[in-house]
Amino acid sequence: MNDSTTGADHGPALPDGAGDGTRAVRAGLPEPVKHEPTLPGPVFAAHFHLPGDPTGPYTYGRDENPTWTLLERAIGELEAPGQDDAETLVFASGMAAISSVLFSQLRAGDAVVLPNDGYQALPLVRAQLETYGIEVRTAPTGGDAQLDVLDGARLLWIETPSNPGLDVCDVRRLAEAAHAQGALVAVDNTLATPLGQRPLELGADFAVASGTKQLTGHGDVLLGYVTGRNAEAMAAVRRWRKIAGAIPGPMEAWLAHRSIATLQLRVDRQNATALALAQALRERPEVTGLRYPGLPDDPSHKIASQQMRRYGCVVSFTLPTRAHADRFLDALRLVDDATSFGGVRSTVERRGRWGGDAVPEGFIRFSVGAEDPEDLVADVLRALAGSAA
Ligand SMILES: Cc1ncc(COP(=O)(O)O)c(C=O)c1O
């Protein structure tokens, strides 16, 4: 992980085969020190004492911070367990992390392949890349369609499962094809979280994510990260963070680390309820286009089951009309009408309201929280019954 640059000592090694819950609660903890807290508090510092030649690990607050160090180690232990050559860098947001990879790796004249059904800020990124003379090609996530436009590309950007359509592509297959022609591969791992999918083990060069979602899980922190194992590429990502300055505040970094301790509990609860909700929704005649990669008959399930260990907390489906969808959202009592996903409080939105996704007017993206499953499913069924035309 990042120890060569931090000087911080690891806590005791975990037993071989430790489970995800054990690894999450211990992730990134330092060596116990008498009278010190288990997880040291946030270090608020713009600069550090630095007599003489400026040597690390801590010089200036835009470059390094001890609170980031522990968080980066924690994320690295979950994204790339046992991969000592992997490095993690944290950012102010998921978009800062995404931009750091794209803008540090691509040059004028390069070609990059993006999904055409990924997070809705990607078209803005596309437009920016094009102003720099970078050729941007797009293809859908499903059916591994990005393979068809890969020829000669410098970087392949994958988002699986895709947001909001929940399509899945075969990361191993795409990564092999990309590497065979010298392209780097980045996977947006936001929806799966590192407990659901480990892109580096599937062959990717970078796992990139918004930590704003299920990783931190309380809807109160914006954060992003990049985990990568190509030292040269990661040095460029680090340099980009320094020049763009898109760094997390110490408080956000600490809150994120504190939240990771409950990641396995939250993910298992939320994902199990997401499956229960999807199963309940499939019985409803007004629901079409139901997607959840954990449903055995979902079009994504076969590939998802080969590369994911958990299927996420987002369920998507379509109601017949925009008005029907709005009535449904109004009728929910336990679910907030809000964007984003992954939080312990369920959120839902009519995704078409943003105008950026190619989805029907009645398309609903539902993020399942940590409520009691029976309560949540009952609330949804009651709201559906009450919102029929
Ligand atoms: C898949 C995905 N990637 C990246 C982002 C961007 O993350 P952030 O909002 O933390 O910048 C989002 C945000 O919704 C997302 O859903």
Side-chain angles (χ1 to χ4, degrees), residues 126-345:
R126 173 190 190 145
Q128 193 64 40
L129 290 166
E130 286 173 345
T131 67
Y132 297 147
I134 294 157
E135 181 197 345
V136 180
R137 306 176 194 156
T138 64
T141 299
D144 299 343
Q146 289 177 299
L147 281 176
D148 299 339
V149 290
L150 202 51
D151 203 24
R154 162 97 186 109
L155 179 72
L156 168 63
W157 189 271
I158 295 170
E159 185 180 307
T160 181
S162 61
N163 168 27
L166 303 180
D167 266 324
V168 169
C169 59
D170 184 337
V171 177
R172 275 197 195 87
R173 181 176 177 223
L174 285 161
E176 265 171 34
H179 287 155
Q181 54 147 59
L184 290 165
V185 178
V187 175
D188 185 324
N189 206 29
T190 302
L191 205 139
T193 83
L195 295 193
Q197 173 171 272
R198 294 185 194 137
L200 266 52
E201 288 179 2
L202 299 171
D205 301 287
F206 305 98
V208 185
S210 167
T212 313
K213 318 292 177 198
Q214 205 174 15
L215 185 82
T216 58
H218 293 73
D220 52 11
V221 168
L222 280 130
L223 193 95
Y225 70 84
V226 178
T227 302
R229 60 170 161 221
N230 176 325
E232 199 185 326
M234 286 305 288
V237 173
R238 183 183 284 276
R239 184 171 163 276
W240 178 266
R241 182 174 71 174
K242 180 183 174 81
I243 59 180
I247 54 166
M251 191 68 196
E252 282 76 6
W254 182 83
L255 278 170
H257 198 162
R258 203 237 347 215
S259 302
I260 286 174
T262 57
L263 182 63
Q264 184 260 1
L265 283 175
R266 289 184 283 106
V267 162
D268 279 356
R269 166 63 162 243
Q270 292 173 243
N271 296 11
T273 309
L275 178 60
L277 177 65
Q279 282 163 339
L281 287 170
R282 79 193 316 185
E283 307 302 326
R284 299 292 310 191
E286 70 274 57
V287 167
T288 57
L290 175 66
R291 296 300 303 266
Y292 182 66
L295 273 178
D297 57 354
D298 187 275
S300 292
H301 185 70
K302 186 161 178 288
I303 303 165
S305 64
Q306 288 161 13
Q307 67 190 17
M308 298 182 75
R309 298 159 65 233
R310 296 174 172 87
Y311 299 111
C313 66
V314 179
V315 176
S316 62
F317 57 97
T318 300
L319 292 174
T321 62
R322 174 181 175 155
H324 194 143
D326 284 338
R327 285 196 302 275
F328 168 65
L329 300 186
D330 284 347
L332 288 164
R333 290 187 197 138
L334 297 180
V335 187
D336 295 331
D337 187 345
T339 194
S340 201
F341 59 85
V344 289
R345 298 174 195 92

